[in-house]
Structures are given as structure tokens and as C-alpha cells.
Amino acid sequence: MSISLFLISNSRIRARNYLSSIRSVLLVLVLVFPGAVTATDPVGKRTGGWRLAEQSSPYLRMHQDNPVEWYPWGEEALARAKAENKPLLISIGYFTCHWCHVMERESFRNPEIASLMNSGFISIKVDREQRPDLDAAYMSFVVATQGYGGWPMTVLATPDGTPFFGGTYFPPENRENAPGFAPLLRKARALWESDRQNVIEASRQAVEQIKQARVANLPLSALTNETVVKARQLFRAQFDQHEGGFGLAPKFPRPAELLFLLQDDDAQSAEMALFTLDRMAAGGIHDHIEGGFHRYATDPGWRVPHFEKMLYDQALIARAYLAAYRRTANKKYADMAEKILDFTMANMRDARGGFHSALSADSAVNAKAPHRMEEGAYYVWEWNQLRQAIPDLMLRKWAIVHYGLKPEGNVVEGGLAELAGKNILYISKTRGELAEQFGENLSTVDTQIRAVNRLLFSARRVRPVPPRDEKVVTAWNGYMVTALAEAGQLLNQPRFRQAAEETARFILTVLYDEKPNLLYRDWRGGQRGVTGFAEDYAAMSEGLLALYGIDGNKQWLTAAKHLTDAQIKLFWDAAEGGFYDAGRDSGLWLRDKSAADNVTPSASAMSIGNLLKLGSLTGDKRYTEKAVRTAAWQGGLLRDTPEDMPYTLQHWPLLLVQSVRSESFKTR
């Protein structure tokens, strides 16, 4: 069953080896326990998901009409669980996740399943984009005990929030090779009633082992170029020479890797990155009609995507294409970056200046049936739809050859069943190949492709557009500030620089309290979410420093310094170096501290660049010392897999220089 996947870095896989013993303790949940749970309503008056109706998260709000008595994460839910001695059922997902919508339709709207949840558990719904701390902690448990993770994520926990079972998507009833959600709930509740103390003890043992496995190796005693050399070797070993990217399907754009490789002074590094960007641009993961990139591809060739469009992808991928243009001066990379940013500004921008989080993968099949949602409905083409969109036979032939279109559909293995018989646009023939096949010059080729795209755009815009998650996430807006600032300078496009400034002012006005020096995580429709995490502070500081580098306006430098100072106060690990992801008051069983970059850079990696810049600009050596200590901590934890920290490796040459002067190494 395909789900929205969680990428596990090599370092996490290594950590998982320490945790195999956890699984044997938890296997009792797959055994059959007798007895059904009586369905009662202990609350009595209001039932269903009404508590989510006033939440700022669109993902939470979409569950407000469920018969499940959902709670948002908070003291009210935990207090009730403790008072009634019931386990927690924690469901974590996000608005644009296809399988989150599937589970909501199949299970959370199902009265029988809702009755099992309401009588046996206290159910909590979490938006992972609002609460990355909760997501990271429970994902650590799921990956450790199952060997993989994804969304929707389903976790059963003791009343204090300590997990004892976890998984991803569950169908309502048992299917071949897939346990059903309803049977799982019955077994789990029976086990809780019959063997509670063993469940609690197994839970305690599991989380202790997870904590022990995450204890860092000793920090590097010295920074050396061997770290970069080893990272290069590992990137080369993992590189897909046929399709670009690193590793097997599913393939995620990983801009942090590309940004490092494009500035590395090794020619082969740049070649791998440029080839990857070219293959991504040609694939179905790229929206050839309107611009922007989908979240990931299910196949090795980047052709069949999961269709959600995330703000962080648009910002970071645009930066990768800008870096490619800076490295090569090839205008095709500048054009791609410009197209991504123009798409994002046109489709994901809030009227007040910030950027919305995402566009959903699922949309209505047609306007007459708005509740019939399918993934990719807005983007894919049946043969009859193509014929209607492009009535001219010759022009249609251009479209068929260019985009690899087929009457029976062109979706390769790995796509969803509902994509069968559909066509996804990808570059089957390049401009040069089209010119040769049709006997035309490149100018004519470009004219024909533009004509095809205009017709497809017009036909597509008649369809119901994908729903938009309108919450404004601070970190992701920080990514956009950096991307827009870089584009404004490199491409000499004032509109991008202006948008960067407007976004920065929006965040500093709406999501920042200057007097307590406190940043918030997200905002929607005038409502703030929780206080910010380390990545919010780091990403906004990076964006502000990028703006300062363009115009020298000291307001940006001052704001970046204030945010970095607050980040140090709230998240700095004085013992080992680096930054915790959440504050000391999170109250979770695990306070995560990410070393590896994933589809987005880690907070610590972003912070290294910020600290180095602030140290240089202010002359304050404390910033530089913390940058070096963070790199030493990351390098120690990831000494066997340094390719997992590419965003930090961008700064390695400067870190080498600073580490020679660093008091941290002098005192060892």
C-alpha cells in the first residue's frame, strides 16, 4: 500500500539496529484477544469532532464533522485520559496527504469505528506541520518498531503520551498483508484491559532504548577535509546514473544535497547535481503547464508523482536551480527557477504577504461532484480530455510526441490504481528531438509547444482546483524569503526582491513578538498557532541575512541577530553543541535534536550558516564558536554518513578555517 513516505536516512537506519529488541516486546498487539468493546458515550452531550472546529489548522478542521470525539493535542485530552485511565489514540497527518484523506473517509467517518475509538480511547488529531515536535517524537517510535514510517501515522500511547504501538495507514478491516483498523482497536483495547502493566512496562522499555540509540557519538575532535571527501564518495556510490537522484524509488527532490554538490569544487559533484535537476525538470514531478514541483515521485524516473505541492519544495528547489545557473550560466536553469517562483507567487501567496503551506494532492473529479476526490484529478489527462483540449490534429501530434501521451494512458508501474488509463505530462522528446522528428527549427518547436501548453492550461483551469492549506508556516516562509532574495539579485528581477521584503515584514509583524523576542510557528486567518521551533528561528534568520546581503538594510541584520539570540536561549544544547528542535517546555517523552537533513535542512545545519555570518558581521566570536561546535557535533554523530548533512557541508571550507581559531578545539 502506497503511503506518504518518511525518508529514513542512513543514520536513522543504523540507530534502528539498536532497537530490534523493542519489536518482540510489542508483538503482542498482533495476537488475537477475545472480547469486544461496548460502545458508550462518556461525554454525554456533544459528540464527534466539534473540538477541532475552531482550530487554525485546515487539516484538523476537516475532521470536525467526524463521529470521532477528536481532541487537539493539549492538557484537556491528556487530563481526560488520565482521569478515565484510557490509552491515547494519536493520529498525525497533514492537509495535502492523499492517504490521510483516504483514512479519514474510510475509518474516521465510519460510525462503528468511531464508536470503538470513543469508548476505548481518547483520540487526538495532530497536524504534523503545526507540531513537528510531536511528529518527530512519534515517528521515531514508529520507525524504530516497524522499520518504516509515513503518514497518516497512527500511534497508541499510555495516558501520559508514552507510545506502545504505532503504524501508518490502516484499512478499515483486514486485507491481505494489511491489518484492519477496527480489529486492531478491539485487540489493543482488550490488551489494555487484560495486561495493562505489561503494556506500560513495554512502552517504557521501548522509549528508553530509543533515547539511548539517539545519544550522539563524541563530537569530532577536529574538523578535517576528510568529511567532505567521504561525503563525495558516498554520493557517487548512491547516484542513479540513469535517472539522476540518489537511491531508489520513491524519489524525493532533496535540494540540500544539490546545493552542496553545486558549490563543491569537485567537477563530478556538479555533474551529478545538474543531471538530477535536468531529469527532475523533464519528469512528471514537474508541472509543465503551470510550474512548480510535486512532492515526490513513486518511480525511479521522476514520472509518476504524488501530486501535492509543498511551499518548502518550491522555495528550496528554486534555490537549487538558481545555484545551477550560478555554476553554469545556462539560462535554462534561471528560467526554471523563475517559473517556480512565479507559480508560487501566483498560487500560494496570502493577500497580506505571507505564503500558504500547500496545494492538495486530491481534488474534485468534476464540479458536479465536489465530494468525489481523487489524487491528481487536476493534473492528469484521459485520452478524450486531450482530444477535446487540443482539437487540431497536427498540434495534438506535437503534444503526443512531446509529452509521451497514449490512448491507454502512460502511467508506469508505481502509480496509484486510480491513475490507470490516465496520462501524466513528462518530457518524452526534447526540443532537439522534436525538431529532428518534425523537420522544423527550434523556433518553430518552441512556438508549437507554447501553443500546446496554452490549450492544456485553458482546459485544466476549467477543472476544480486543488484545495489549498492556507496556514502560513514561519520556517517555510523563511525559505521563500531566501529564495526570492537570491532570485532578485541573481536574475536582476526586482519583483522577487520586493516579494522577499514583503514576506519578511509580514512574518515580523504578524508572527513575531519583539518584546519577549518570541516567534510563532504558524498563522491562519488572524489566528496564531503554537510558539516557534528551532527551524522557524533558523529559517527566518537565514532569510533576513539574505536580504541584508542584498541591500545592507540594518533592520534585517538586527532582526536576524535578535532571532538567533532567542534561538540560542531556547534551543541550544550547551553540553554537546547543536540545537534541539523544540524547547525545554515541550513536555514530550523525547526532545528531538535532528542532525541529518531531509527534504528540508535541519535547524542545526541552517544555524551554522547564520552563526558564521553573524560572527563575521558583528565580530562576536560567540556566534562562530557555536557554529564550529554544532558542526563538530553533527560530524561526530554522522561520521559514517556525512552525506546526511549536505547543508552543513556547504560551509565546511569556512568551518575548517574557523575551527583552527576556535577556543572549543584549543581546550580539548
Side-chain angles (χ1 to χ4, degrees):
M1 179 63 67
S2 176
I3 56 173
S4 293
L5 294 172
F6 173 74
L7 249 83
I8 307 170
S9 69
N10 291 336
S11 61
R12 290 188 175 93
I13 293 172
R14 286 201 321 277
R16 207 169 63 230
N17 293 334
Y18 292 103
L19 301 167
S20 58
S21 60
I22 298 174
R23 297 177 193 167
S24 61
V25 182
L26 300 172
L27 282 176
V28 287
L29 270 181
V30 302
L31 302 177
V32 177
F33 286 87
V37 180
T38 304
T40 60
D41 174 20
V43 176
K45 295 183 180 180
R46 300 180 70 182
T47 59
W50 59 272
R51 295 178 184 86
L52 305 183
E54 300 303 319
Q55 296 295 307
S56 63
S57 163
Y59 175 67
L60 266 60
R61 290 164 72 98
M62 84 182 212
H63 294 80
Q64 63 183 295
D65 295 324
N66 293 166
V68 177
E69 291 177 17
W70 291 115
Y71 283 83
W73 179 272
E75 185 53 40
E76 183 182 2
L78 298 176
R80 184 180 166 194
K82 291 173 184 175
E84 298 182 14
N85 205 5
K86 287 183 177 179
L88 300 172
L89 189 156
I90 304 165
S91 176
I92 303 177
Y94 57 104
F95 183 75
T96 59
C97 162
H98 170 72
W99 288 102
C100 299
H101 285 264
V102 172
M103 195 163 179
E104 190 270 337
R105 291 194 299 267
E106 290 180 341
S107 292
F108 302 146
R109 294 184 197 176
N110 183 312
E112 179 185 353
I113 290 178
S115 179
L116 292 171
M117 294 172 69
N118 294 341
S119 60
F121 305 86
I122 302 302
S123 299
I124 297 175
K125 177 57 69 174
V126 176
D127 183 339
R128 67 172 294 261
E129 296 170 353
Q130 278 191 321
R131 294 301 304 266
D133 55 336
L134 296 170
D135 181 63
Y138 289 112
M139 183 62 76
S140 296
F141 176 83
V142 172
V143 170
T145 56
Q146 301 295 332
Y148 63 92
W151 301 276
M153 177 164 42
T154 306
V155 176
L156 305 181
T158 62
D160 66 356
T162 307
F164 63 84
F165 178 80
T168 54
Y169 163 80
F170 292 97
E173 299 294 339
N174 291 332
R175 295 178 188 167
E176 185 178 0
N177 299 322
F181 193 47
L184 172 66
L185 295 176
R186 294 188 184 98
K187 294 172 189 176
R189 180 60 186 177
L191 179 62
W192 181 258
E193 292 295 335
S194 65
D195 203 14
R196 186 173 307 168
Q197 289 307 310
N198 279 336
V199 171
I200 293 172
E201 178 59 21
S203 171
R204 186 194 65 79
Q205 291 179 24
V207 299
E208 284 303 315
Q209 290 189 55
I210 289 171
K211 291 176 183 178
Q212 288 300 316
R214 299 175 81 84
V215 173
N217 297 328
L218 289 174
L220 296 176
S221 58
L223 303 188
T224 70
N225 200 48
E226 286 303 309
T227 300
V228 173
V229 171
K230 186 169 186 176
R232 286 186 192 131
Q233 293 170 345
L234 290 166
F235 276 124
R236 290 169 187 167
Q238 298 165 20
F239 181 61
D240 182 345
Q241 297 183 22
H242 299 287
E243 299 293 351
F246 301 89
L248 306 174
K251 280 189 174 173
F252 286 72
R254 294 175 64 90
E257 296 177 348
L258 301 174
L259 288 169
F260 160 65
L261 293 169
L262 285 164
Q263 76 161 46
D264 188 22
D265 58 11
D266 181 81
Q268 191 173 348
S269 293
E271 289 170 5
M272 291 188 294
L274 294 170
F275 182 69
T276 298
L277 288 170
D278 289 342
R279 298 305 300 152
M280 285 169 51
I285 194 173
H286 170 218
D287 183 352
H288 297 274
I289 303 304
E290 292 183 71
F293 278 79
H294 302 295
R295 185 163 173 259
Y296 68 93
T298 62
D299 65 303
W302 307 99
R303 279 178 52 181
V304 183
H306 268 297
F307 289 91
E308 60 263 51
K309 287 183 178 179
M310 314 302 296
L311 179 64
Y312 55 76
D313 280 329
Q314 312 316 314
L316 294 167
I317 294 172
R319 284 185 61 195
Y321 281 102
L322 289 170
Y325 177 58
R326 189 181 296 114
R327 177 86 183 223
T328 66
N330 190 325
K331 191 173 181 296
K332 70 178 181 181
Y333 298 120
D335 290 344
M336 179 61 74
E338 187 171 354
K339 187 179 178 184
I340 294 169
L341 294 174
D342 280 337
F343 161 80
T344 309
M345 290 174 64
N347 294 276
M348 302 180 75
R349 201 171 188 199
D350 189 87
R352 293 185 60 177
F355 284 87
H356 297 147
S357 297
L359 300 176
S360 181
D362 293 31
S363 57
V365 175
N366 59 67
K368 294 181 180 179
H371 298 297
R372 185 189 163 200
M373 308 280 280
E374 289 185 2
E375 178 164 8
Y378 182 71
Y379 301 101
V380 300
W381 300 86
E382 296 177 356
W383 190 250
N384 285 337
Q385 293 173 324
L386 289 166
R387 293 175 62 187
Q388 293 170 10
I390 311 174
D392 181 88
L393 290 176
M394 191 60 196
L395 197 58
R396 195 188 308 156
K397 186 175 180 181
W398 281 87
I400 291 169
V401 175
H402 183 49
Y403 287 127
L405 308 174
K406 298 178 181 179
E408 68 275 16
N410 68 1
V411 176
V412 297
E413 184 179 354
L416 293 170
E418 59 199 38
L419 297 178
K422 310 289 178 62
N423 285 279
I424 296 171
L425 303 184
Y426 74 98
I427 304 301
S428 177
K429 298 286 187 181
T430 65
R431 293 168 67 243
E433 291 169 334
L434 289 172
E436 182 177 351
Q437 179 165 339
F438 286 94
E440 300 285 358
N441 58 38
L442 290 177
S443 178
T444 300
V445 170
D446 291 339
T447 299
Q448 296 294 83
I449 293 173
R450 283 195 297 268
V452 166
N453 289 350
R454 281 195 298 269
L455 291 173
L456 293 176
F457 174 79
S458 297
R460 181 197 274 185
R461 294 300 287 182
V462 176
R463 303 173 179 179
V465 298
R468 182 169 59 188
D469 184 337
E470 295 186 343
K471 69 178 180 291
V472 175
V473 175
T474 298
W476 304 356
N477 275 257
Y479 302 153
M480 278 301 296
V481 172
T482 301
L484 289 164
E486 290 183 356
Q489 183 179 43
L490 186 61
L491 306 182
N492 193 25
Q493 294 284 1
R495 72 182 187 281
F496 292 144
R497 174 176 160 181
Q498 180 181 348
E501 293 175 351
E502 290 172 355
T503 302
R505 291 193 182 96
F506 173 84
I507 298 297
L508 293 176
T509 301
V510 174
L511 282 146
Y512 176 61
D513 285 343
E514 186 174 0
K515 286 189 177 179
N517 199 11
L518 191 66
L519 194 61
Y520 285 80
R521 170 66 175 177
D522 64 283
W523 173 94
R524 179 182 178 273
Q527 185 177 355
R528 287 172 169 173
V530 298
T531 54
F533 300 94
E535 67 171 340
D536 298 301
Y537 287 84
M540 271 311 301
S541 296
E542 184 178 51
L544 293 167
L545 288 169
L547 278 174
Y548 176 73
I550 292 173
D551 61 16
N553 187 331
K554 287 193 175 180
Q555 69 167 317
W556 308 127
L557 176 60
T558 300
K561 183 179 182 302
H562 287 167
L563 289 177
T564 301
D565 289 343
Q567 181 188 340
I568 291 169
K569 178 181 178 182
L570 294 169
F571 307 105
W572 175 251
D573 181 356
E576 291 186 343
F579 291 89
Y580 287 104
D581 296 339
R584 300 180 186 87
D585 59 350
S586 65
L588 282 172
W589 59 273
L590 179 68
R591 189 184 182 197
D592 204 22
K593 185 183 169 194
S594 304
D597 300 320
N598 211 293
V599 292
T600 58
S602 70
S604 288
M606 284 187 286
S607 301
I608 285 173
N610 297 340
L611 292 164
L612 289 171
K613 285 182 182 177
L614 286 171
S616 175
L617 291 168
T618 66
D620 191 335
K621 292 182 179 179
R622 291 176 298 176
Y623 292 123
T624 307
E625 286 290 314
K626 285 182 170 56
V628 172
R629 285 198 65 199
T630 300
W633 162 73
Q634 277 189 292
L637 185 62
L638 302 175
R639 67 179 73 236
D640 295 329
T641 58
E643 82 282 13
D644 282 349
M645 55 174 190
Y647 211 76
T648 293
L649 295 180
Q650 293 181 93
H651 306 291
W652 208 258
L654 182 54
L655 286 164
L656 291 178
V657 173
Q658 295 296 342
S659 68
V660 174
R661 308 168 184 168
S662 172
E663 294 298 325
S664 299
F665 289 125
K666 288 179 183 178
T667 57
R668 287 183 188 173

